[in-house]
Amino acid sequence: MSEHDTLHYLDYAATTPADARVIESMTVCLGVDGVFGNPASTSHAAGTQARAKVERAREQVAALIGASADEIIWTSGATESNNLALKGYADAATGKRHLITSCIEHKAILDTMASLSKRGFSVSYLSPTPNGEITAGAVAAAIGPETGLVSLMLVNNELGTLTDIAAIARIVHAAGALLHVDAAQALGKTPIDVQALGIDMLSMSAHKVYGPKGIGALFVRRDITARIAPQMHGGGHERGLRSGTLATHQIVGMGTACEVAASELDSDAARIATLSTRLVDAVLALGDVTQNAATARRIPHTLSLTVGVPGFYPFMLGDALAVSSTSACNSAAGKPSHVLTASGLDADAAGRTVRVSLGRFTTEQDVDFAVSCFRRALEQCRSTASSGFCASRQITPADLKAIHDAGFRSVICNRPDGEGADQPAFEEIAAAARELGMDARYLPIVPGRIGDAEVDAFGALVDALPKPVLAYCRTGNRSGALWSRLATRVHASTGASSL
């Protein structure tokens, strides 16, 4: 995307831009004329003023979730909050060493549970329904007298499904266990009352609710504090659960973000629901697209859409549209979404799935642009597939007319010279391309040995060719990180339509 292009941001589940009101409140806490003191230095005015700001923010966060201010523990974000809740329980536990979570949790939960399993805790992983829901019945079937903690998210970060936490809490407490809830994707999007829902601990992150990155909180019910061991030591801050100098400006930003969310939750949700319906109806009307978990209880903010046409890759939607092919953590790993595969999609379908997430600043123009991107990608895939050509398989001379008719003006191929009849040499492909007035280039890349230099060289060749370009590279590892790196680099060049 060039610097002059407009970015249509529909990846609010990954992170949100800070609200202008949040930025203004944080700025007051930064400069020499502001409230910059250490909140722990209460022997002078600078410190007491900072302390007052921190405590006001604590009240603002507590008010959004129906808690008391002294039950809010500041952390660096939901990942740390999750670690503190789970490891904190484990370190203090004298019995009840059975834990329950689900297969579709965030990696911050799954990886922490894996760590605890190596320390002798047994972990049960609940499977979702085909609609991506974790049911109270599944919890009841897994819980037992040795269960000490159940950890489930309130809103799934890829599907947008809601978990019936209130029903689950009754089952958990009847068994004498604690309930931890990851609310990173729920905060500010759906009403939360920790008392009414029966939640013992709840993780939050500011950057999902138009606050700054690097700050979050953990709600810890007052009467279970002694059952949670601190993971950071050095001063006994935050009821002894989390030591460290408090970041006043970030905390104030989170407080403001939560106060704004409390006042605008209903209006935001209603407006986003209207935009979500507009997007889903238009995209599904294009055909060959299904919405995952469509009939589940869900928030309207997050949509999971699977394209059923062969040859579709999420990057074909274009750089000017910011969406995700999976969660940010899975995207970095270059693997199919564990949420989608646990919900019944195979790896191929998961690879053709796009997460679209809407937020406070989403406009009708953003939605309509997204629909046009889906339409263009679907038309391209259908055009190539109609003659038997699919961008996900090797190029042959017989494919060139279909490629040309689909609108491509150049092809790149790393097919070695001298291959057999079933895999023709590059010169045969190039000759067929030239007859159609297309440009064809050869760039050798050794399968399984792709580094930054090879990725950059492949992308530079795309830059130099008439657009749009179809690039075919046989890496020997199409489903792994190498393929993802090539796809990302090639698609970064304007007009590179497929790989």
Side-chain angles (χ1 to χ4, degrees):
M1 186 180 72
S2 75
E3 60 182 340
H4 304 294
D5 291 333
T6 299
L7 175 66
H8 296 268
Y9 187 81
L10 294 180
D11 200 16
Y12 282 82
T15 194
T16 61
D19 191 286
R21 292 162 287 188
V22 169
I23 296 171
E24 182 180 3
S25 70
M26 293 175 65
T27 302
V28 175
C29 302
L30 292 172
V32 66
D33 296 324
V35 185
F36 66 89
N38 188 328
S41 300
T42 54
S43 60
H44 51 69
T48 55
Q49 289 172 357
R51 188 71 188 183
K53 289 277 190 183
V54 166
E55 295 311 312
R56 172 58 183 148
R58 206 185 300 271
E59 294 171 355
Q60 291 168 314
V61 174
L64 181 57
I65 63 170
S68 298
D70 66 350
E71 295 176 309
I72 302 300
I73 307 301
W74 300 118
T75 67
S76 63
T79 294
E80 184 189 340
S81 295
N82 289 340
N83 274 262
L84 175 56
L86 272 57
K87 293 177 181 175
Y89 167 80
D91 286 352
T94 56
K96 289 184 171 287
R97 298 175 66 83
H98 175 236
L99 312 173
I100 296 175
T101 189
S102 85
C103 297
I104 60 172
E105 300 301 305
H106 190 277
K107 290 293 188 180
I109 294 294
L110 296 178
D111 288 354
T112 303
M113 287 290 191
S115 173
L116 294 177
S117 69
K118 295 177 181 178
R119 293 168 47 184
F121 285 81
S122 62
V123 183
S124 294
Y125 296 91
L126 307 180
S127 296
T129 68
N131 247 341
E133 296 174 293
I134 301 299
T135 66
V139 175
I143 207 163
E146 291 304 310
T147 304
L149 179 74
V150 176
S151 178
L152 296 169
M153 48 173 45
L154 178 51
V155 171
N156 185 267
N157 58 316
E158 294 193 36
L159 300 172
T161 48
L162 277 158
T163 304
D164 190 351
I165 291 297
I168 289 171
R170 291 190 288 271
I171 295 168
V172 171
H173 292 152
L178 298 178
L179 177 62
H180 165 255
V181 172
D182 181 348
Q185 293 290 340
L187 192 70
K189 299 176 185 176
T190 189
I192 299 174
D193 185 329
V194 293
Q195 304 302 328
L197 292 174
I199 297 171
D200 298 305
M201 293 183 283
L202 181 130
S203 297
M204 298 166 274
S205 194
H207 79 100
K208 305 289 190 180
V209 65
Y210 311 97
K213 297 175 181 64
I215 185 67
L218 177 67
F219 158 76
V220 180
R221 189 158 51 82
R222 188 183 298 110
D223 60 353
I224 68 162
T225 302
R227 299 178 63 180
I228 307 301
Q231 300 302 298
M232 295 178 64
H233 301 85
H237 308 75
E238 298 300 289
R239 288 164 54 197
L241 290 180
R242 204 270 191 177
S243 295
T245 301
L246 297 177
T248 306
H249 64 297
Q250 291 175 297
I251 289 170
V252 167
M254 183 170 185
T256 302
C258 287
E259 184 172 78
V260 171
S263 65
E264 299 184 4
L265 190 152
D266 290 340
S267 59
D268 270 358
R271 191 183 67 84
I272 289 168
T274 300
L275 291 173
S276 179
T277 299
R278 180 188 183 109
L279 190 151
V280 170
D281 287 350
V283 171
L284 296 187
L286 298 173
D288 296 312
V289 180
T290 57
Q291 180 187 358
N292 298 306
T295 61
R297 213 166 60 93
R298 53 182 303 103
I299 61 170
H301 306 63
T302 303
L303 304 168
S304 177
L305 303 172
T306 299
V307 176
V309 181
F312 173 81
Y313 295 98
F315 63 73
M316 295 170 70
L317 296 173
D319 289 327
L321 178 64
V323 293
S324 292
S325 56
T326 176
S327 71
C329 294
N330 279 323
S331 181
K335 298 178 179 179
S337 161
H338 68 281
V339 174
L340 298 177
T341 54
S343 300
L345 272 67
D346 59 27
D348 181 61
R352 289 183 276 104
T353 299
V354 179
R355 182 186 71 179
V356 181
S357 47
L358 289 64
R360 182 174 297 163
F361 306 112
T362 302
T363 65
E364 289 184 354
Q365 289 74 26
D366 293 326
V367 168
D368 293 345
F369 182 80
V371 174
S372 70
C373 292
F374 274 96
R375 180 182 296 109
R376 184 183 65 245
L378 283 164
E379 288 173 352
Q380 178 189 320
C381 291
R382 287 168 181 153
S383 178
T384 54
S386 65
S387 60
F389 172 76
C390 175
S392 64
R393 69 165 171 80
Q394 65 186 20
I395 296 171
T396 70
D399 295 321
L400 268 297
K401 187 177 187 305
I403 295 172
H404 178 273
D405 292 346
F408 294 105
R409 291 296 170 262
S410 305
V411 294
I412 301 176
C413 186
N414 79 320
R415 303 291 308 286
D417 284 322
E419 291 196 277
D422 60 328
Q423 296 186 15
F426 172 74
E427 281 307 317
E428 296 177 53
I429 297 171
R434 286 192 292 269
E435 289 181 4
L436 294 168
M438 299 175 67
D439 201 337
R441 299 292 179 89
Y442 170 64
L443 183 69
I445 295 180
V446 178
R449 293 178 56 190
I450 301 175
D452 291 337
E454 288 79 9
V455 172
D456 288 342
F458 204 74
L461 188 52
V462 174
D463 294 339
L465 289 173
K467 307 299 188 297
V469 179
L470 186 139
Y472 170 74
C473 178
R474 196 179 63 199
T475 68
N477 188 15
R478 283 193 62 255
S479 62
L482 298 180
W483 180 264
S484 297
R485 290 174 63 197
L486 273 177
T488 300
R489 176 60 186 88
V490 171
H491 186 56
S493 302
T494 301
S497 300
S498 191
L499 179 67

